[in-house]
Amino acid sequence: MDDPSIPVSEQNSEIAHVTQEMYKKNFELAEKNKILSLLQKIEEIILSSVTDIYQIAQNVADVTSSAAEFKVVGIYLLDNSSSSLKLLAVSRTEIGEKIKLSLGKNIYPEVIKLDNSENCVVKVVSSKSKQTVNNLRCILIPYTPEEDIQKIERIYPVKSTFINPLIVRERVIGVLIISISETEDSLSGYQIELINRLVSLIGIAIDNAFLYQKMQIVNIQLREVDKMKDEFFSIASHELRTPLTVIQGNTSILMDYFSAELKISSVRELVDDIFTSTVRLIKLVNEFLDMSRLEQGKLKFEFQSVDLPKLIMRVIKEDKALFDSKQVEIGYEGPEALNVFCDPDRIMQVVINLVSNAIKHTEKGKIIIMVGIEGNFVLVRVRDTGDGISFQNQKYLFQKFRQADGDILTRDSSRGAGLGLYISKLLLERMGGTIWIEGSEEGKGSTFAFKIPLEKAG
Amino acid sequence: MAKILIVEDDPLMLRMYQRVFTLEKYEVEVAVNGEEGLEKARSVKPTLILLDIMMPKMNGLQMLEKLKADPEMQKIPVVLLTNLAGKQDAETGLSLGAVKYIVKSEYVPKRIVEMVKEIIAGYTRNEIPQS
């Protein structure tokens, strides 16, 4: 620029021009920066841990008004269930607070009914396109009384109000309203661009919060239903047991003390059948109660050192009556004593379940219970020479209410509710063990196995 | 013959136990809650008390505590009757001085009589309590 061939005055004007351009560029850059920083702030709100829809709307309104120097920013949510727009937040600016103080409420109506088709906010919602109005009245009527409208005009003479639909996935979910005391054309390019870009982002923020809120409500409802179901289950089972115990007890009194009166064999048979059915029913109710308490985590376990072989021998002895009528032998292979760490009643329940399943499905042959050590676990196998289970049906074994055939029509209700293995599985899992079917072949028999932690040395 | 006090709020359950102990030639007294149970225990001095846990007015554990605090009645053996879900309370009952708990649905009445018989036999051998 020191070229002597160009006169100084021209040089100066050139410099002035360049400087001016630079200022302009700088200004544009600053505006772009402002837009970016505001958009970033709104993104931060979207991603923040705040999930309350009112809080999010408030944060968005506050950030928008302070960054763009809009004095009044409001956000509405469309509530389809009441066919209305509900005011979520109004920016907490000096002007906004002043109006609130004077009116005792926000500048914008709390609720705008959608059937109020003359209202310009409603028009924006139904046309899905933004609108600029220079008179607040078309928003406020019929919600704000005339004297309040005049109060607003005295405190903050609004010249332009921008009403923007918040559209997410082609659906209007709410409205963003910005009121300023200048005319529309006094807005800077930055402010106009800001509004345009803000709208979609705010829409997402509000929609997210709304969905989250809805999800939470549904979640709470679901949890309540689930709790009610569990409670119903345990109360029902509970209440069933008292009368059942009385039926069972009185039937057994008949059998134990009135045998002379029961000499007629058909009467004796009647009483026997009542007794057997009641025992079965009580067992079922107990299983239901066990299951519901296990699922609710309400079943308490008392862990202690348990001599597993001794416990198994006891089960074999007590179950003797069950297989006396069949040509079934039962044997044990393993150490004479071996301590595991678990709840003795609960492990007993598992062993009884496996042994009685084996007996149930074996007409003649042998049932062997084998015990051994595997790492830090005791491994127990129960092998029978019974019916066996086809490979495709094995997957049903540990499921609730399923018997191995897996079909509701062919279920054999004399075999129980199909809860035994499911309960055994839950019990073992709570005691740090696992249960599985080791092998089975139709017509040849099955082997079930479970693992339970060894008692820790010392 | 030994005198049994049965404290149980369910009338049919009560009648069932009353029936079986009567059939076994016991003298039977009954009460339908802890309050009544305590009164009866004081007035009839039973050999043994069969005590349900869940009852209105005064539950079994409360009655047990009062019983054990009374020098005149503290030596009467108490057998708790419970349902399966009440095992925890039954354990508490043992620490309060009950001699045994029986899960009602697990034993037929005759078995319960047998258990009571054994307990009374044990106690009379040791000559407690005096009735």
Side-chain angles (χ1 to χ4, degrees):
Chain A
M1 271 181 239
D2 282 340
D3 189 343
S5 67
I6 299 167
V8 173
S9 63
E10 266 182 47
Q11 275 190 26
N12 275 348
S13 93
E14 183 76 358
I15 290 170
H17 179 70
V18 169
T19 313
Q20 207 184 351
E21 278 298 302
M22 263 173 59
Y23 269 124
K24 225 171 109 189
K25 289 275 178 227
N26 251 339
F27 182 70
E28 278 175 19
L29 214 62
E31 289 205 330
K32 284 223 164 82
N33 266 338
K34 272 183 174 171
I35 294 177
L36 281 177
S37 104
L38 176 56
L39 294 180
Q40 199 188 345
K41 274 184 189 153
I42 293 185
E43 266 176 21
E44 277 166 15
I45 295 171
I46 296 178
L47 298 173
S48 75
S49 59
V50 179
T51 51
D52 178 55
I53 190 163
Y54 289 96
Q55 194 58 53
I56 286 193
Q58 189 66 61
N59 292 350
V60 169
D62 288 345
V63 164
T64 308
S65 76
S66 73
E69 288 154 32
F70 296 134
K71 296 276 174 7
V72 181
V73 177
I75 297 173
Y76 279 95
L77 178 72
L78 181 65
D79 179 22
N80 286 316
S81 66
S82 65
S83 299
S84 60
L85 288 154
K86 287 188 169 152
L87 186 63
L88 289 178
V90 174
S91 56
R92 284 171 296 195
T93 52
E94 212 187 309
I95 295 280
E97 295 298 305
K98 226 178 186 173
I99 294 170
K100 209 171 169 180
L101 207 67
S102 157
L103 263 59
K105 58 186 181 193
N106 279 309
I107 173 167
Y108 303 127
E110 290 298 322
V111 175
I112 297 174
K113 285 271 175 201
L114 288 182
D115 55 16
N116 187 356
S117 58
E118 286 308 300
N119 189 295
C120 12
V121 183
V122 176
K123 279 182 189 159
V124 165
V125 171
S126 45
S127 69
K128 286 190 180 180
S129 52
K130 63 180 178 183
Q131 203 188 343
T132 306
V133 296
N134 46 32
N135 196 330
L136 260 185
R137 278 171 197 274
C138 75
I139 298 172
L140 305 183
I141 282 170
Y143 305 101
T144 313
E146 185 56 35
E147 48 167 311
D148 283 352
I149 295 177
Q150 283 171 13
K151 274 186 198 163
I152 294 171
E153 278 169 353
R154 271 199 300 277
I155 299 168
Y156 189 57
V158 174
K159 286 229 176 68
S160 321
T161 295
F162 308 96
I163 312 170
N164 299 275
L166 300 173
I167 297 175
V168 177
R169 291 182 290 273
E170 293 174 5
R171 234 165 21 86
V172 179
I173 62 138
V175 176
L176 171 74
I177 304 186
I178 299 169
S179 294
I180 57 170
S181 57
E182 295 90 29
T183 53
E184 188 182 0
D185 46 16
S186 69
L187 280 190
S188 70
Y190 148 67
Q191 285 171 310
I192 292 170
E193 199 184 336
L194 188 65
I195 294 175
N196 292 338
R197 294 181 63 172
L198 263 182
V199 168
S200 58
L201 212 50
I202 292 180
I204 291 170
I206 300 299
D207 192 48
N208 267 355
F210 179 65
L211 289 179
Y212 188 84
Q213 188 186 323
K214 225 161 86 180
M215 212 174 69
Q216 270 187 321
I217 292 171
V218 171
N219 228 331
I220 289 168
Q221 285 169 340
L222 277 179
R223 241 176 287 156
E224 231 142 69
V225 169
D226 203 49
K227 216 180 116 204
M228 271 164 62
K229 183 208 77 186
D230 285 342
E231 277 172 359
F232 169 77
F233 233 93
S234 44
I235 290 171
S237 317
H238 228 104
E239 295 305 314
L240 279 171
R241 207 155 32 193
T242 303
L244 280 174
T245 306
V246 175
I247 299 175
Q248 184 200 28
N250 280 321
T251 318
S252 80
I253 290 177
L254 266 179
M255 300 186 333
D256 289 336
Y257 296 94
F258 296 91
S259 50
E261 283 82 352
L262 297 179
K263 273 209 182 97
I264 307 166
S265 73
S266 57
V267 175
R268 174 83 211 183
E269 213 176 272
L270 271 174
V271 176
D272 280 349
D273 286 357
I274 294 172
F275 187 76
T276 313
S277 287
T278 316
V279 170
R280 211 168 94 192
L281 201 49
I282 289 178
K283 191 175 161 249
L284 258 176
V285 170
N286 287 346
E287 280 182 351
F288 277 140
L289 196 63
D290 267 355
M291 179 189 71
S292 86
R293 281 157 75 220
L294 266 168
E295 287 177 343
Q296 290 173 66
K298 277 189 188 158
L299 202 65
K300 296 215 172 66
F301 286 74
E302 275 166 45
F303 285 86
Q304 50 184 270
S305 173
V306 177
D307 184 348
L308 196 58
K310 196 171 149 197
L311 185 140
I312 291 171
M313 294 315 289
R314 235 176 83 198
V315 173
I316 291 176
K317 223 174 108 191
E318 280 173 19
D319 273 359
K320 200 115 180 79
L322 273 173
F323 47 87
D324 269 355
S325 58
K326 298 183 173 188
Q327 292 174 280
V328 180
E329 269 180 76
I330 189 158
Y332 171 78
E333 286 174 13
E336 269 180 38
L338 188 58
N339 282 359
V340 291
F341 192 66
C342 61
D343 182 314
D345 289 346
R346 300 303 168 190
I347 199 74
M348 175 91 112
Q349 208 175 331
V350 173
V351 175
I352 289 175
N353 178 240
L354 288 181
V355 172
S356 58
N357 274 351
I359 295 169
K360 231 184 276 178
H361 296 282
T362 309
E363 268 318 307
K364 63 179 192 187
K366 202 169 162 61
I367 294 162
I368 307 173
I369 305 171
M370 290 164 284
V371 173
I373 294 177
E374 200 186 83
N376 296 321
F377 291 88
V378 171
L379 179 66
V380 180
R381 289 192 180 87
V382 179
R383 174 173 298 162
D384 65 55
T385 54
D387 307 335
I389 302 143
S390 73
F391 183 71
Q392 62 264 35
N393 281 338
Q394 289 179 19
K395 61 176 178 289
Y396 300 126
L397 283 169
F398 298 96
Q399 288 177 14
K400 197 165 157 174
F401 298 123
R402 296 302 274 272
Q403 292 172 340
D405 28 47
D407 187 338
I408 195 83
L409 289 175
T410 60
R411 66 184 295 127
D412 177 357
S413 53
S414 71
R415 279 161 32 192
L419 283 175
L421 284 173
Y422 175 68
I423 291 173
S424 291
K425 179 176 159 243
L426 294 183
L427 287 173
L428 277 167
E429 281 168 1
R430 287 283 304 275
M431 296 190 289
T434 44
I435 185 168
W436 66 97
I437 180 162
E438 206 166 66
S440 185
E441 207 178 317
E442 274 180 286
K444 292 205 170 160
S446 314
T447 305
F448 283 84
F450 71 85
K451 265 200 310 201
I452 187 96
L454 263 172
E455 187 187 21
K456 282 184 204 94
Chain B
M1 194 64 197
K3 204 186 288 171
I4 307 289
L5 170 62
I6 306 169
V7 190
E8 159 72 64
D9 65 323
D10 187 280
L12 293 179
M13 188 76 86
L14 178 62
R15 222 156 77 187
M16 177 177 82
Y17 290 127
Q18 186 178 10
R19 186 175 290 137
V20 75
F21 278 96
T22 310
L23 282 166
E24 291 277 357
K25 311 277 186 278
Y26 284 86
E27 204 179 309
V28 182
E29 294 285 342
V30 297
V32 294
N33 59 54
E35 246 173 51
E36 211 184 295
L38 211 55
E39 264 171 50
K40 276 269 167 75
R42 203 169 276 135
S43 60
V44 306
K45 295 270 168 9
T47 320
L48 181 142
I49 300 174
L50 270 181
L51 180 57
D52 184 28
I53 294 183
M54 286 218 303
M55 284 183 301
K57 284 191 187 170
M58 183 192 289
N59 70 40
L61 293 184
Q62 290 166 329
M63 175 179 157
L64 181 61
E65 260 183 301
K66 291 217 156 61
L67 218 55
K68 290 298 162 189
D70 188 323
E72 271 189 52
M73 298 187 283
Q74 62 190 186
K75 283 184 176 167
I76 304 172
V78 175
V79 173
L80 292 169
L81 293 173
T82 175
N83 50 43
L84 200 61
K87 271 192 179 176
Q88 213 72 24
D89 293 330
E91 297 283 350
T92 312
L94 291 187
S95 67
L96 289 175
V99 292
K100 189 182 180 64
Y101 72 81
I102 295 172
V103 177
K104 286 184 261 191
S105 60
E106 283 181 1
Y107 299 99
V108 298
K110 194 175 181 181
R111 272 293 294 141
I112 296 180
V113 174
E114 282 163 13
M115 287 190 263
V116 166
K117 229 178 242 176
E118 275 171 34
I119 291 166
I120 292 178
Y123 269 85
T124 43
R125 260 202 305 278
N126 300 325
E127 285 182 324
I128 33 175
Q130 305 295 327
S131 64

